[in-house]
Amino acid sequence: MRDARTLPFVLQVPAALALLALGGWFALCYRYTLNQQQDAFYREHGAFIRFSAFQMFTEKSVTQATTELESQGADGAWTLIDMPTLFPAIWDSRYRYEDPAIRASPTHRQILASATCGRLKARGEAPLAVRLFVVRWRKTVGSVEQPRSRGLSREQLLVWDCSKPAPLPAGVRP
Amino acid sequence: MKALLARLFAPQWAGGWTAMRLAYVAAALITIVPTARFIEDAYGAQDAVFSHPPLRLNDVYHPTLAEAWGWWGGAVLGLLALGWGGRLARPGLLLYLVCLWVYLGAEAMNTKAYHRLLTWEALALLFAPIGERTLTEKWRSPFARYVLLLVFMAMYGSTGWLKALHEPAWIDGSVLQHHLVDLHFGVKPLGAWVSGQRWLTAPMGWITVIFEAFFPLLILFRRLSLPTLLVGASFHVGIALMMEIDAFSWVALAAYPVLLHPEVAEGLYRRAQAWRDARRPA
């Protein structure tokens, strides 16, 4: 005899309603993803919608972008920092410090800059300040090498005094 | 109404859940275990701590380095319990989910599409008969499979229709060309080579959009579910070979044994069983 069983009838109605609600939720998320730039509700309450919205690799992007930081020594000279050795965490092929969301948020930039000061000091250096740049250039299709030869731009986003405290989230225990 | 519900919730062959449970554990372990290298730098760091939507956990709690290791360990332990199955499966799944999201919340910046998909798949697993053994000989409620179908219909469908309606460059192949050489998720040697071949990227783009946009319809037909999922499997293997987002492919593929129509899945299982029995010495 076949070992077969399913939901009892009393649970079938709520189960069907739950499936309808889930489908409706996904439809709503799709609708807001479609119009996210224009929609004030999405900009205000987009966090939960983002959890359920999928728009992977939709848009064409012809530009590479990365984050660079420089530190200022006691002599006043600025030196490019080897960020991957200070912040080695990497997801897919992007280092955590390169996340565009860090560049986009003034608070996040300050936290990254302050953490960079702290990690340089822990290595025995004494930076007076660090500055943060976004570097962009055109992608080269058909090549593993991505030379910074076309459309190169370097924009300074922040100069941070290393003596200042960072605006860390409240959950960090001193 | 009663007849309609009885038909909707008629028991379906449950063997696919065993395959999905094990594939899910493997995909989640591949995704989570290697992040241990970054616990000191990111998850348990006390300096580079961000509060970033949708994960604002760090506004109320941020783990110390030891606690971050604990959350990572809890997630891995929960997955091992899920893999073991039986009575440990559901408590293991719950432990893993809680620990995973505290762990991701501590880092806050890198909650990827595959983390979200892992969570939606876990939701389906919570309602699935994962605590039972010998599911290949059992038929159970299809509710969890419907949840999983909705998740994948939404995921593929929404990204497919966004591409079809809002990015005309998917037609000429140039979107793929540029994604394949993006420093942050591309530039694998095969992907970089393919990016220079417009005659390849154009049809690959069409197939991607057609597969994603029409998946919600095609997967509903019993006869089309296997060819649809074979296209999907090629699509994900292609992504894994050409882009640095392998984890997404393994997480998505983990659900395929359940997405396949249960009657088709059972037929394949019985054929494999018969083939194995025929090869056994008498």
Side-chain angles (χ1 to χ4, degrees):
Chain A
M1 190 170 142
R2 212 163 92 149
D3 179 354
R5 61 170 192 259
T6 188
L7 287 176
F9 178 69
V10 289
L11 289 178
Q12 288 180 1
V13 173
L17 291 174
L19 290 170
L20 279 174
L22 184 63
W25 167 250
F26 280 130
L28 185 77
C29 291
Y30 171 69
R31 179 240 178 274
Y32 280 110
T33 307
L34 206 57
N35 301 307
Q36 59 180 278
Q37 302 307 326
Q38 295 79 35
D39 198 287
F41 178 83
Y42 181 88
R43 287 200 299 271
E44 195 69 20
H45 307 285
F48 285 100
I49 290 169
R50 272 201 290 279
F51 187 78
S52 316
F54 295 92
Q55 49 173 352
M56 291 154 301
F57 303 108
T58 299
E59 288 157 1
K60 182 174 171 178
S61 162
V62 298
T63 315
Q64 307 282 18
T66 190
T67 304
E68 286 183 351
L69 280 91
E70 291 179 348
S71 66
Q72 187 181 36
D75 59 354
W78 291 95
T79 313
L80 189 66
I81 303 169
D82 182 7
M83 289 296 281
T85 60
L86 274 190
F87 296 90
I90 188 167
W91 282 264
D92 307 329
S93 50
R94 183 176 71 202
Y95 287 98
R96 188 184 188 216
Y97 72 86
E98 293 181 297
D99 197 311
I102 294 181
R103 295 195 295 265
S105 157
T107 310
H108 291 359
R109 288 179 215 159
Q110 291 172 12
I111 292 169
L112 176 64
S114 171
T116 307
C117 293
R119 292 190 187 194
L120 286 173
K121 284 175 188 167
R123 285 184 167 198
E125 297 180 34
L128 298 174
V130 296
R131 56 187 186 186
L132 188 150
F133 298 87
V134 56
V135 184
R136 295 191 176 91
W137 68 100
R138 293 272 298 189
K139 290 175 179 172
T140 305
V141 296
S143 167
V144 172
E145 298 301 318
Q146 292 294 305
R148 297 181 181 189
S149 52
R150 293 183 301 146
L152 182 64
S153 72
R154 195 166 191 256
E155 180 190 352
Q156 182 175 298
L157 300 178
L158 175 74
V159 180
W160 181 256
D161 178 348
C162 285
S163 63
K164 282 165 66 175
L168 290 171
V172 182
R173 286 158 282 178
Chain B
M1 178 71 173
K2 200 168 179 177
L4 185 70
L5 284 172
R7 201 173 154 199
L8 185 67
F9 290 106
Q12 293 183 341
W13 186 70
W17 286 109
T18 302
M20 180 183 166
R21 179 172 59 83
L22 297 174
Y24 180 89
V25 169
L29 285 173
I30 288 169
T31 307
I32 294 157
V33 168
T35 64
R37 291 175 294 158
F38 311 130
I39 289 181
E40 189 173 353
D41 177 27
Y43 297 94
Q46 302 300 303
D47 53 359
V49 184
F50 305 95
S51 174
H52 189 72
L55 291 173
R56 292 208 176 273
L57 179 70
N58 285 329
D59 282 341
V60 289
Y61 166 74
H62 180 72
T64 61
L65 181 58
E67 288 166 357
W69 273 105
W71 293 114
W72 176 87
V76 172
L77 192 67
L79 280 172
L80 294 177
L82 175 64
W84 182 263
R87 285 183 185 175
L88 290 180
R90 220 173 297 272
L93 184 59
L94 285 169
L95 173 70
Y96 147 76
L97 271 179
V98 171
C99 291
L100 173 70
W101 279 95
V102 176
Y103 185 67
L104 293 176
E107 195 279 327
M109 303 302 293
N110 283 281
T111 307
K112 307 283 192 185
Y114 48 79
H115 294 126
R116 290 184 284 143
L117 185 57
L118 276 173
T119 305
W120 282 111
E121 289 178 355
L123 178 74
L125 281 168
L126 275 176
F127 294 106
I130 53 173
E132 295 186 52
R133 304 282 185 194
T134 60
L135 281 173
T136 50
E137 305 308 320
K138 292 174 182 175
W139 283 255
R140 291 292 178 262
S141 160
F143 178 74
R145 180 170 177 267
Y146 292 157
V147 171
L148 200 64
L149 277 171
L150 279 173
V151 169
F152 274 77
M153 288 157 93
M155 181 181 76
Y156 287 135
S158 66
T159 191
W161 284 104
L162 282 167
K163 287 180 177 86
L165 299 174
H166 289 271
E167 184 49 273
W170 273 95
I171 301 298
D172 67 17
S174 62
V175 173
L176 261 184
Q177 283 190 294
H178 287 86
H179 283 326
L180 289 171
V181 291
D182 191 290
L183 280 181
H184 295 157
F185 40 78
V187 216
K188 275 190 173 176
L190 179 62
W193 178 81
V194 170
S195 77
Q197 317 298 320
R198 180 77 72 95
W199 63 276
L200 274 176
T201 58
M204 283 164 68
W206 307 334
I207 293 167
T208 299
V209 175
I210 291 168
F211 165 73
E212 290 183 338
F214 291 101
F215 178 90
L217 186 67
L218 298 173
I219 196 63
L220 295 177
F221 294 96
R222 187 171 63 89
R223 283 186 183 178
L224 295 179
S225 71
L226 182 59
T228 302
L229 291 173
L230 285 175
V231 173
S234 323
F235 166 73
H236 284 297
V237 170
I239 289 174
L241 291 174
M242 286 185 268
M243 299 180 84
E244 290 281 2
I245 46 168
D246 321 24
F248 183 79
S249 292
W250 314 135
V251 172
L253 288 171
Y256 275 33
V258 172
L259 294 177
L260 185 60
H261 194 285
E263 288 172 19
V264 179
E266 188 194 358
L268 289 175
Y269 174 75
R270 302 285 174 223
R271 286 225 301 254
Q273 207 176 24
W275 180 79
R276 191 192 59 196
D277 291 348
R279 285 171 62 91
R280 223 176 251 167

